[in-house]
């Protein structure tokens, strides 16, 4: 805290001074790998922009797009991913439970005698699970009902990951209901059941 100006000048001089170097052949090798990585990243970015153009051009025309975009935490990035991974066949999932099982958000319960074990599903579609967890995390800020549901899970003693998975499971059920009834997400209706249970 003392003599700050002098110390600052000394540090700057040291940083601007001559540094230890590597052999020219090693420097050239690092430069080549860096140029290669930049070229790969540039190509990937160009392809991502091209694919994003396709999504922007076609997702909005899908009959489920407005319903999906009405869900908390789903926008023009996650919405198409969720639709693509679930598919759009209206008869594919007979019940919300079937959709939750496919999404691997619903837990597996094993009971034997007096023992009961609840575990996460380890066999799942990684892309879908990633999108749904991202939706659940975003919904914490977009939906008071989602926030209250998550906080309730934490109050039960669940850590962040399991509580977020429970929220994702609930959001999949809400999405299923909206798609079946062809209605947009409604904050009050979506969480009414849990509010009533909490009040009882």
């Amino acid at each position: 805290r003392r003599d700050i100006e002098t110390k600052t000048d000394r540090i700057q001089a040291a940083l601007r001074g001559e540094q230890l170097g590597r052999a020219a052949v090693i420097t050239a090798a690092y430069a080549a790998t860096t140029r290669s990585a930049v070229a790969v990243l540039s190509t990937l970015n160009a392809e991502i922009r091209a694919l994003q153009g396709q999504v922007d051009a076609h997702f909005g025309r899908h009959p489920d797009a407005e319903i999906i975009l009405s869900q908390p935490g789903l926008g023009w990035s996650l919405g198409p991913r969720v639709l693509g991974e679930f598919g759009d066949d209206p008869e594919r999932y007979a019940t919300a439970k079937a959709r939750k099982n496919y999404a691997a958000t619903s837990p597996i319960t094993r009971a034997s005698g007096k023992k009961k074990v609840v575990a996460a599903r380890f066999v799942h579609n990684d892309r879908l699970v990633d999108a749904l967890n991202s939706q659940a995390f975003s919904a914490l800020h977009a939906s008071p009902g989602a926030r209250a549901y998550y906080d309730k899970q934490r109050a039960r003693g669940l850590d962040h990951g399991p509580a977020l998975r429970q929220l994702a499971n609930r959001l999949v059920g809400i999405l299923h209901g909206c798609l079946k009834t062809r209605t947009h997400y409604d904050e009050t209706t979506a969480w009414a059941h849990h509010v009533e249970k909490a009040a009882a």
Side-chain angles (χ1 to χ4, degrees):
R1 295 181 183 178
R2 298 188 196 93
D3 199 15
I4 293 174
E5 291 297 327
T6 304
K7 289 178 181 174
T8 302
D9 291 341
R10 195 164 60 240
I11 291 168
Q12 286 181 338
L15 291 173
R16 290 172 179 158
E18 208 169 311
Q19 306 295 320
L20 289 173
R22 301 296 296 269
V25 66
I26 294 174
T27 304
Y30 275 119
T33 57
T34 302
R35 280 194 300 272
S36 177
V38 168
V40 169
L41 290 172
S42 299
T43 302
L44 286 173
N45 284 333
E47 292 303 314
I48 288 168
R49 282 191 297 272
L51 288 172
Q52 187 62 51
Q54 290 293 309
V55 170
D56 293 343
H58 298 285
F59 174 64
R61 293 189 231 160
H62 195 281
D64 294 342
E66 284 189 18
I67 294 171
I68 288 171
L69 291 173
S70 74
Q71 306 297 307
L74 289 183
W76 280 87
S77 179
L78 288 176
R81 284 173 62 190
V82 168
L83 174 62
E85 297 303 333
F86 272 131
D88 61 358
D89 180 355
E91 306 303 321
R92 184 174 185 187
Y93 307 101
T95 63
K97 182 171 175 139
R99 189 182 290 269
K100 290 174 180 181
N101 288 345
Y102 178 78
T105 54
S106 60
I108 296 173
T109 304
R110 294 189 181 94
S112 174
K114 293 182 180 178
K115 260 182 120 176
K116 183 179 175 184
V117 178
V118 179
R121 293 175 186 268
F122 291 103
V123 177
H124 55 253
N125 177 335
D126 289 339
R127 294 178 300 277
L128 179 56
V129 168
D130 178 60
L132 293 172
N133 282 337
S134 296
Q135 178 201 2
F137 186 73
S138 297
L140 291 176
H141 306 288
S143 162
R147 181 81 226 188
Y149 186 82
Y150 169 85
D151 289 342
K152 182 181 170 187
Q153 305 311 311
R154 293 303 304 270
R156 286 176 49 216
L158 294 182
D159 289 334
H160 171 72
L164 201 65
R165 193 163 49 249
Q166 288 282 347
L167 175 58
N169 190 49
R170 177 67 190 132
L171 290 170
V172 169
I174 292 169
L175 173 62
H176 181 80
C178 289
L179 290 171
K180 279 291 182 189
T181 58
R182 308 307 300 164
T183 54
H184 287 196
Y185 172 84
D186 178 74
E187 180 74 19
T188 306
T189 307
W191 305 100
H193 174 66
H194 294 282
V195 171
E196 287 164 12
K197 279 178 76 177

